[in-house]
Amino acid sequence: MHLDQKVSLKALHTFGMEVEARYFVEAKTQSEVLTLLNYRQMIHMPILFLGGGSNVLFTRDFSGIVIKISAKGISAVETDDGHVLVSVEAGENWDEFVQYCVNRGWSGLENLSLIPGTVGAAPIQNIGAYGVEVKEIIESVLVVDINTAKQRRLTNAECSFGYRDSVFKNTLKGKVIILNVTFKLLNPNLPTYQLTNLPPYQLHYPDLQHELASMSIAAPAIADIREAVCRIRRRKLPDTFVAGNAGSFFKNPVIMKEQLDSLKATFPDLPHFPNQGKGTIKIPAAWLIDQCGWKGYRNGDAGVHPNQPLVLVNYGNATGRQILDLANQIMESVKQKFGILLEMEVNVF
Ligand code: FAD
Ligand code: NAP
């Protein structure tokens, strides 16, 4: 392991800001992570774990140690109930892992194709797309406490998953490192799969259905679903190598029916998705931001993507502070117009 000083983080996060870590080290195995924890207890300085850097915004240099989690490894066992349990080290690239499963016909993750980042970060905000959330496929998460170095395996229920939320964003925030995630995937190739009575794929998301129809595929195989998701994403989302971004900057707000009814009186076209649990309703944040006139806005190199207003963009040399100021202005105007407080999805440092 190499502990380097004054390391640029520009190429290590997808927003691409020119910021520096006082110390930087890459942990390529679980035991290297544990060694680093002991070292950190000796020197007492701020610590930041980085996966693929696709959900972070740096607003300043980081004055402690940045540890990039790069441990790799995948192992799988078949169950006797039509599933396969796949145990994956935190530093595996998310989309390469999805491809690995699709190649073997193990279903559950194909709708989450092409999401940037690592396996270890996936449970943190319970990544989701095209009608699937990763909580539906997570069996357990192995973590280590950064103060005691004690390891613990959390069951799915103990992760308290919610919409883009989990225990790792709440009570365990900054307290544990995720070392390994175990997924429970369907294996339609096993004879016991027939006993599960489960559909092999989730095809209800409208954009996914339209894409498969445009590909003239009526009965998709798993590889077709991955291909359809990749096609939509490549078309709709900005390439982080062309314009720095961290995907959706804000969460979609979830409101109660009374608030929806009162908003509909003024905004009859307000799109909304009911059945989000406990009688709540999801409102697309992109629509709210668009209605406030932000779509395509640009000030210097900080902007709002012209096709997807949920995505804030660094067109070159924007600072994290400029992106954060823009985010705050957007939040303020949405609050003024709709009385809804947007919540940031991206982790700001
Ligand atoms: P990082 O950005 O490196 O880290 C995110 C947070 O997790 C940080 O606070 C970091 O300290 C912490 N962390 C990272 N690894 C660990 C670990 N092993 N242990 C403890 N803490 C850790 N998200 C979705 O949900 N759905 C999408 O469809 C989606 N699409 C995206 C599209 C684009 C173009 C981009 C840029 C982002 C998108 N995202 C999406 C957001 C992002 O890809 C996910 O949140 C992803 O899981 C982040 O992984 P990462 O490894 O890059 O995490
Ligand atoms: P979209 O399909 O244009 O839909 C806009 C929003 O409406 C989405 O955020 C989605 O919520 C919601 N939605 C659409 N149809 C829905 C339905 N039938 N039921 C419930 N909610 C519905 O969205 P998009 O921007 O192109 O993104 C496509 C998918 O990729 C979405 O699932 C989105 O979450 C995901 N994505 C996430 C990020 C990120 O950084 N978090 C970035 C890019 C794409 P949900 O977001 O809850 O699905």
Side-chain angles (χ1 to χ4, degrees):
M1 267 188 300
H2 277 285
L3 183 69
D4 293 314
Q5 285 191 54
K6 291 183 159 286
V7 173
S8 167
L9 298 175
K10 188 176 168 68
L12 296 170
H13 72 295
T14 57
F15 251 125
M17 270 79 192
E18 190 54 86
V19 283
E20 208 174 75
R22 183 167 168 204
Y23 295 104
F24 175 84
V25 63
E26 189 170 1
K28 293 188 178 144
T29 62
Q30 271 193 29
S31 67
E32 287 187 352
V33 174
L34 301 177
T35 307
L36 283 165
L37 281 186
N38 292 332
Y39 174 72
R40 183 248 174 189
Q41 275 161 15
M42 285 187 290
I43 56 166
H44 297 291
M45 61 166 62
I47 187 167
L48 193 159
F49 303 102
L50 204 55
S54 64
N55 205 16
V56 290
L57 176 71
F58 290 105
T59 56
R60 58 171 77 104
D61 291 340
F62 190 73
S63 62
I65 308 178
V66 172
I67 300 179
K68 183 171 165 62
I69 311 284
S70 300
K72 301 276 196 302
I74 303 178
S75 62
V77 284
E78 285 175 1
T79 69
D80 54 11
D81 67 350
H83 289 87
V84 55
L85 288 174
V86 194
S87 179
V88 191
E89 294 299 291
E92 285 283 352
N93 174 278
W94 175 260
D95 191 52
E96 287 172 13
F97 169 56
V98 174
Q99 178 76 71
Y100 179 96
C101 297
V102 167
N103 288 348
R104 284 158 182 75
W106 300 339
S107 74
L109 299 174
E110 53 284 354
N111 296 40
L112 305 179
S113 290
L114 224 56
I115 297 181
T118 54
V119 167
I124 295 175
Q125 73 157 13
N126 176 26
I127 58 169
Y130 302 98
V132 170
E133 290 182 329
V134 77
K135 70 170 184 183
E136 294 156 38
I137 315 108
I138 286 180
E139 176 78 359
S140 64
V141 178
L142 178 68
V143 300
V144 58
D145 185 298
I146 66 167
N147 291 313
T148 64
K150 278 203 176 129
Q151 293 187 35
R152 177 180 162 205
R153 187 168 285 283
L154 277 74
T155 62
N156 180 302
E158 287 171 322
C159 293
S160 302
F161 289 120
Y163 169 63
R164 301 292 186 272
D165 200 22
S166 74
V167 71
F168 310 109
K169 291 192 89 173
N170 296 290
T171 50
L172 292 184
K173 187 174 175 158
K175 295 187 179 150
V176 297
I177 308 172
I178 294 176
L179 296 175
N180 175 292
V181 185
T182 299
F183 300 87
K184 189 172 183 180
L185 301 175
L186 272 174
N187 186 353
N189 304 317
L190 290 175
T192 48
Y193 164 71
Q194 305 302 332
L195 303 172
T196 66
N197 271 329
L198 293 168
Y201 312 124
Q202 301 294 328
L203 300 173
H204 55 276
Y205 200 88
D207 261 14
L208 182 54
Q209 290 180 352
H210 297 150
E211 193 67 25
L212 286 164
S214 78
M215 290 160 70
S216 307
I217 295 174
I222 190 166
D224 298 323
I225 300 167
R226 175 170 164 80
E227 175 60 21
V229 169
C230 290
R231 284 187 189 201
I232 310 171
R233 295 187 72 103
R234 289 198 183 102
R235 200 167 56 233
K236 279 184 95 167
L237 286 168
D239 181 344
T240 53
F241 290 103
V242 177
N245 71 86
S248 304
F249 200 91
F250 304 100
K251 287 181 175 186
N252 290 319
V254 175
I255 63 172
M256 300 305 292
K257 185 171 180 313
E258 297 71 42
Q259 191 177 3
L260 176 74
D261 290 343
S262 119
L263 281 166
K264 291 277 277 180
T266 319
F267 307 101
D269 298 335
L270 180 71
H272 58 283
F273 300 99
N275 304 325
Q276 304 301 312
K278 298 183 185 154
T280 56
I281 293 140
K282 184 173 67 188
I283 309 290
W287 188 86
L288 302 174
I289 297 168
D290 190 8
Q291 293 296 305
C292 292
W294 289 105
K295 195 166 167 176
Y297 171 89
R298 181 168 175 172
N299 182 5
D301 276 350
V304 179
H305 195 266
N307 301 333
Q308 175 44 286
L310 255 192
V311 177
L312 303 192
V313 180
N314 170 15
Y315 285 106
N317 294 312
T319 62
R321 197 70 240 173
Q322 287 167 334
I323 296 286
L324 191 60
D325 285 349
L326 175 57
N328 284 324
Q329 287 174 53
I330 292 171
M331 287 167 76
E332 185 54 33
S333 64
V334 169
K335 193 168 149 232
Q336 291 294 329
K337 190 168 176 120
F338 299 101
I340 291 178
L341 187 60
L342 291 180
E343 193 185 330
M344 292 185 201
E345 184 175 299
V346 172
N347 301 279
V348 179
F349 294 100

